[in-house]
Amino acid sequence: MTEQDHLLEKGFGLACFMFPDRPTAISILISAMNKLATQRGQENKRNYWRDKYLKRWITRVNRDESDTLQWLIYFEADYYEKQQEQAGEHTAKDLVVRYIKNLVRMTTAMSSFHVNIGLHRILHSYTTAEVQQAYEFMTERYLGADEYRRAKSMLMAKLEERFGKYLRTVKTAHGEARFESSANQERWAGLVRDCLTAFTPWSTLGDCVIPANLGLGNGHLSRLLSGEGHENLKQDKIEINRCHALIDPECHGRLIKALGFDPPETKLALPRFLMENTDKTDHQPGQPLPIPRLTREEMTIVRDSLSAQAALRQSASPSVLRVLVDHEERARIDLDYEDQLRFEIQEGAELIEIWARDQDKDLLLATQLIGYTEGQGLAPANFTISIKGRKKLVLSITPSAATAEVRSATVMLSCLSDAHSVAWGKDTNSFWRWLGPVPKFALASTALVAVGWYVGSHMYRQELFAQRAAYDRANRELSRERAAHASLMAPSETVASAENGNQKQAATLSYTLLGDDSIVRGPGGPEQPTVVVPDRATLVDLKLPIGNDVYPFYRAVLKPFLEEKEILSENLLRAQPTAAGPVILFTVPSIFLAHNKDYMVDLKYVTPKGKLGELNSFTFHVSRKKP
């Protein structure tokens, strides 16, 4: 059996556990696998910088392929579950499974912090203090009680949105809002255990990292789980291990025992579902269900369907795109007439899908899991999606200020023309081809002028006019060098000067970038991660927030994303005070920024002994627009 076949069998078994009807389970599996295919490439890009640049705590789960498929099956099952509920063909047992599944789906989409709250404060009735103690014991992270209460409120609101007509909210003696509990919790204890076993992340099965003899006084939580002392271990593995410890019944039982809390089966708090038929059930809770297998014919149906969808995506060139968030259409764009759309999403949103209509069929082009941060809500993101023969799409998520009670983010889809990108690439290549045959003395003189301008602009930043004048002089000198050596070039290699005597002086643009480790520390109000520059010479001031990491000097290096080649660097930078906190001001001439390309600024600090230390990296996308 191939690896993909094994994954298909596991996916089918999970779909049947949630929806024991073979045709429906196959439909769920095909939809989830199709979304997995459109998600995989985008995840690879994020994995690169997370593993390379993220040195501190992470707060969201970046799943491997099997865990992503598991989550997508939860997500796809919702559609069929709601249809069954509307027809009144469900049982109380069905609602119990779906309630637990939705809790796991929502919280694992965010972080182990949210899993801790969802399973301890909503599925079970542990107190806020106990939940806080459990998370601190696992992670040595210390958040205020208000953050725990706010997260619980958000999760309850999402459950009410999904199961509203079946739930009733009540107030406890202490004024806490909870769902009215079922009077017969022990009846469901076995089924709850079955569900949590089925919903334990696949990548962690058989790998319980909490020792059986763990105790507060006689042992320590595994370093693999806490992350302490494992700087070289992938941070996503640590995070998924924490989710495992909270979901897997055996591992979770060890954690609860070590903390000295009441056993989970005695703290169950399943809601009383308001429905007529509460007795019918099709298996006895706690009895293992047989794991179904795909027949050879069913396996062929799944493979053929996935191959057909992949082929359509490769050849599609659609005009109209629909953007869905959690199965609901939120925006639509016609690529022939529009180049941008934007809309808001609220905290708790999980998946963005981009659909097209091609050859009279609905076609899924791309999906994006929405990321979250610990204590800061929605996480920023920036991804590129290609459409054959037409355009490239840049999907960006920009969170609002994290201080708001109801946190939100702006989703923007920008359409960048391939033709524009190619044209700019040709101009840039022509520039470097022009430099090729220039004699060494001419190249050296041009370089000296550019370096002189660059150093001078940063030493005397307060003299903006002088900075612009220096830039203009550098361009005039470059133009003179071009004219002097034009006879050495073939006519096809000649490039017109970017400046002339009648042109206005270049303006300076300013952008505040978002640190790549903002998923850890959280921005105070992130800016749009796409840097837009005009098709003319200009200066771009990149403001790099440093939070509380203040040192005497810093070094900034501009690189193409996913490449080690240095484009531009500057030493001995000093922090500049702003209303939002200290920043490093790094000025980049726009001539170094190509259209429709990703770049990264690597920021290091200088120690008193003159050594460099990693501070942060800032990834951004460049888009050029004609004036």
Side-chain angles (χ1 to χ4, degrees):
M1 181 181 291
T2 66
E3 185 176 344
Q4 187 188 43
D5 289 348
H6 180 65
L7 202 58
L8 290 175
E9 290 286 6
K10 290 179 68 174
F12 180 63
L14 177 61
C16 285
F17 174 81
M18 296 185 296
F19 213 103
D21 173 73
R22 292 186 76 92
T24 302
I26 289 173
S27 296
I28 292 171
L29 176 62
I30 291 173
S31 296
M33 286 293 296
N34 194 36
K35 284 183 170 59
L36 178 67
T38 63
Q39 172 75 22
R40 192 177 301 144
Q42 300 170 49
E43 285 290 329
N44 287 341
K45 181 174 179 180
R46 179 167 57 235
N47 285 341
Y48 175 86
W49 67 258
R50 284 171 65 86
D51 292 341
K52 180 163 182 164
Y53 297 100
L54 191 55
K55 307 297 183 183
R56 309 185 183 192
W57 290 85
I58 69 166
T59 56
R60 63 149 286 180
V61 181
N62 198 28
R63 303 171 184 81
D64 71 0
E65 185 175 87
S66 65
D67 291 341
T68 302
L69 176 61
Q70 186 181 19
W71 188 92
L72 288 169
I73 288 172
Y74 302 153
F75 185 82
E76 289 305 300
D78 269 7
Y79 171 78
Y80 298 94
E81 292 167 357
K82 290 176 182 177
Q83 279 192 327
Q84 188 188 65
E85 290 162 18
Q86 289 173 357
E89 298 172 352
H90 59 293
T91 65
K93 177 256 179 182
D94 292 329
L95 291 181
V96 169
V97 173
R98 294 167 191 180
Y99 182 82
I100 298 171
K101 182 264 291 185
N102 273 271
L103 260 179
V104 172
R105 191 203 74 211
M106 290 188 303
T107 56
T108 55
M110 298 180 185
S111 69
S112 61
F113 172 72
H114 294 88
V115 176
N116 177 53
I117 294 168
L119 298 192
H120 283 155
R121 291 287 286 131
I122 299 177
L123 182 60
H124 297 88
S125 59
Y126 292 104
T127 65
T128 299
E130 288 172 326
V131 175
Q132 224 171 329
Q133 184 182 351
Y135 191 67
E136 290 168 0
F137 180 53
M138 289 177 59
T139 66
E140 298 186 22
R141 294 287 284 168
Y142 303 93
L143 300 177
D146 287 346
E147 189 59 38
Y148 285 79
R149 285 189 283 267
R150 197 203 63 78
K152 172 178 171 278
S153 176
M154 182 270 296
L155 292 173
M156 285 187 64
K158 290 290 291 180
L159 288 170
E160 282 187 293
E161 182 180 339
R162 169 62 179 89
F163 298 101
K165 67 179 182 179
Y166 301 111
L167 302 176
R168 178 181 291 138
T169 303
V170 297
K171 291 280 187 180
T172 67
H174 300 288
E176 177 191 358
R178 294 195 66 89
F179 297 132
E180 182 181 357
S181 297
S182 169
N184 191 10
Q185 295 290 329
E186 61 274 11
R187 174 192 178 193
W188 302 109
L191 180 59
V192 170
R193 187 177 183 89
D194 289 346
C195 289
L196 294 176
T197 299
F199 302 152
T200 299
W202 285 344
S203 66
T204 66
L205 292 178
D207 188 24
C208 188
V209 293
I210 294 186
N213 62 348
L214 179 69
L216 292 177
N218 63 1
H220 297 282
L221 201 55
S222 166
R223 287 186 174 184
L224 187 64
L225 185 61
S226 69
E228 287 299 312
H230 280 259
E231 289 80 5
N232 295 326
L233 183 70
K234 285 189 175 182
Q235 295 296 303
D236 291 313
K237 178 62 176 174
I238 295 171
E239 180 73 352
I240 203 69
N241 282 341
R242 293 173 184 151
C243 291
H244 171 99
L246 292 164
I247 299 171
D248 178 67
E250 182 177 353
C251 208
H252 181 239
R254 295 176 181 179
L255 175 65
I256 293 299
K257 182 179 179 181
L259 290 165
F261 298 165
D262 292 336
E265 58 269 20
T266 68
K267 300 291 288 184
L268 270 179
L270 282 167
R272 181 171 76 89
F273 294 109
L274 307 177
M275 57 181 294
E276 294 180 1
N277 185 2
T278 60
D279 297 323
K280 181 182 176 182
T281 182
D282 48 15
H283 88 287
Q284 291 298 316
Q287 294 293 322
L289 290 172
I291 300 175
R293 299 289 299 272
L294 286 165
T295 65
R296 182 175 300 177
E297 293 76 14
E298 289 170 337
M299 185 73 79
T300 300
I301 290 172
V302 173
R303 289 173 180 161
D304 289 350
S305 177
L306 295 176
S307 296
Q309 288 290 312
L312 284 174
R313 275 193 293 273
Q314 289 292 323
S315 61
S317 181
S319 297
V320 179
L321 304 180
R322 297 184 298 123
V323 183
L324 279 64
V325 178
D326 298 344
H327 297 300
E328 178 186 350
E329 183 173 332
R330 297 295 308 277
R332 189 173 291 210
I333 185 171
D334 189 330
L335 300 181
D336 291 332
Y337 302 100
E338 304 169 89
D339 61 6
Q340 192 176 92
L341 66 79
R342 66 176 65 211
F343 58 88
E344 296 293 314
I345 57 174
Q346 301 297 317
E347 185 174 16
E350 298 167 53
L351 186 73
I352 297 174
E353 304 171 46
I354 299 178
W355 286 80
R357 187 75 177 171
D358 191 70
Q359 300 179 9
D360 295 326
K361 294 182 179 179
D362 288 327
L363 176 65
L364 178 65
L365 292 181
T367 59
Q368 179 54 52
L369 285 163
I370 298 170
Y372 284 82
T373 68
E374 178 191 72
Q376 295 291 332
L378 291 136
N382 196 27
F383 301 93
T384 302
I385 305 158
S386 296
I387 300 180
K388 183 178 179 180
R390 291 188 61 89
K391 301 186 177 186
K392 288 190 176 180
L393 309 179
V394 177
L395 176 68
S396 63
I397 302 174
T398 305
S400 59
T403 55
E405 180 63 25
V406 179
R407 292 166 179 164
S408 62
T410 299
V411 176
M412 185 165 75
L413 188 66
S414 302
C415 306
L416 305 176
S417 169
D418 279 346
H420 191 183
S421 177
V422 170
W424 171 248
K426 288 181 178 178
D427 290 345
T428 306
N429 291 335
S430 298
F431 172 76
W432 291 112
R433 284 200 304 270
W434 177 87
L435 283 179
V438 175
K440 292 183 179 179
F441 74 88
L443 183 58
S445 64
T446 303
L448 286 173
V449 171
V451 171
W453 164 80
Y454 188 70
V455 173
S457 67
H458 286 278
M459 291 179 61
Y460 306 102
R461 190 175 302 279
Q462 68 276 17
E463 298 179 18
L464 181 59
F465 179 82
Q467 182 189 61
R468 293 174 178 171
Y471 184 75
D472 290 343
R473 287 196 300 273
N475 276 283
R476 287 194 294 271
E477 180 68 15
L478 187 59
S479 299
R480 285 195 295 270
E481 292 291 339
R482 285 176 175 173
H485 298 282
S487 59
L488 300 178
M489 305 184 315
S492 62
E493 295 177 324
T494 306
V495 178
S497 170
E499 297 287 334
N500 58 52
N502 298 324
Q503 232 173 348
K504 295 181 180 179
Q505 292 174 326
T508 301
L509 302 176
S510 180
Y511 287 91
T512 300
L513 298 184
L514 186 66
D516 289 341
D517 75 346
S518 59
I519 295 179
V520 181
R521 293 185 286 178
E527 296 292 329
Q528 170 64 37
T530 297
V531 172
V532 180
V533 296
D535 267 344
R536 57 180 172 80
T538 188
L539 303 178
V540 182
D541 278 344
L542 302 179
K543 296 180 180 179
L544 315 176
I546 58 174
N548 297 322
D549 297 319
V550 179
Y551 296 90
F553 297 104
Y554 300 82
R555 169 180 165 82
V557 179
L558 177 69
K559 305 176 183 178
F561 186 72
L562 299 182
E563 298 179 30
E564 291 302 319
K565 178 179 67 178
E566 292 189 5
I567 299 174
L568 207 60
S569 66
E570 186 174 5
N571 299 311
L572 303 181
L573 292 168
R574 291 183 179 271
Q576 307 287 326
T578 70
V583 301
I584 299 300
L585 202 58
F586 184 36
T587 298
V588 177
S590 63
I591 195 171
F592 294 119
L593 302 176
H595 173 65
N596 197 23
K597 187 168 182 178
D598 293 326
Y599 293 89
M600 180 169 59
V601 177
D602 193 9
L603 185 63
K604 293 180 169 62
Y605 62 86
V606 183
T607 68
K609 293 184 179 181
K611 295 183 178 181
L612 292 176
E614 293 282 351
L615 183 64
N616 208 344
S617 58
F618 301 80
T619 305
F620 62 97
H621 186 82
V622 171
S623 176
R624 283 184 168 265
K625 290 189 176 181
K626 294 183 179 181

